[in-house]
Amino acid sequence: MLALVAMQGAETQSPAPATNDAKPQMHTENQPTAGQTAPEFSLPSGDGATVSLKDYKGKWVVLYFYPKDFTSGCTMEAKNFQRDLTKYEQAGAVVLGVSVDSAQSHKEFCAKEGLNFKLLADPDAKISAQYGSTMEYQGAKMAARNTFLINPKGEIAKVYTGVKPAEHSEQILKDLGELKKG
């Protein structure tokens, strides 16, 4: 009987089982809101060029942040933007993607998936942080899946947080049409 009591005591003293908490920790501090001037940036793209927001003054900009090249959700989101690229061009808008992946990774991702818009490398997550769009997932810092629709004056027109990749491009096109009507 004494042994049984000792065993019960040992069970209650054992450490809690390790949990694999796979929820990303979001960092949305400083996230710009509609009506604010969009933070300026200059980042390298997969084609070797440096891309700055000021390069697109006078155009609508879809600036989307995503976690990682070659992953299922990010691939779906990118392919849907590519599918709708002509509609964006007709609306006077440009699509720019940003992640913490390298410019070389972006180059390979664009080639593999047939993407014809620019993906920008933010390896230190500095620009992602300026847009309140970083998260930590399993110890790695990456861009959170947020999008900023920037008007031709360089102001944030609409903010999308925690977007669903499957329908995101269609939603932006719809909102872009409404915003352009005034």
Side-chain angles (χ1 to χ4, degrees), residues 16-62:
T19 57
N20 184 7
D21 188 3
K23 290 191 179 205
Q25 182 181 2
M26 307 304 251
H27 297 282
T28 58
E29 304 85 14
N30 305 322
Q31 189 172 78
T33 57
Q36 290 182 313
T37 299
E40 181 53 55
F41 60 82
S42 289
L43 291 170
S45 69
D47 63 9
T50 297
V51 175
S52 300
L53 180 58
K54 65 181 179 232
D55 299 340
Y56 299 100
K57 201 87 164 163
K59 282 186 165 278
W60 286 87
V61 175
V62 176

Side-chain angles (χ1 to χ4, degrees), residues 14 21 36 43 54 69 78 100 104 106 134 144 161 163 167 172 175 178:
S14 65
D21 188 3
Q36 290 182 313
L43 291 170
K54 65 181 179 232
D69 291 343
V100 299
Q104 183 61 38
H106 289 335
T134 59
T161 57
V163 303
E167 61 231 29
I172 293 173
D175 292 343
E178 292 297 316

Side-chain angles (χ1 to χ4, degrees), residues 74-86:
C74 300
T75 299
M76 176 192 302
E77 187 174 22
K79 283 185 157 189
N80 288 347
F81 280 125
Q82 179 61 44
R83 174 199 68 205
D84 297 335
L85 199 55
T86 303

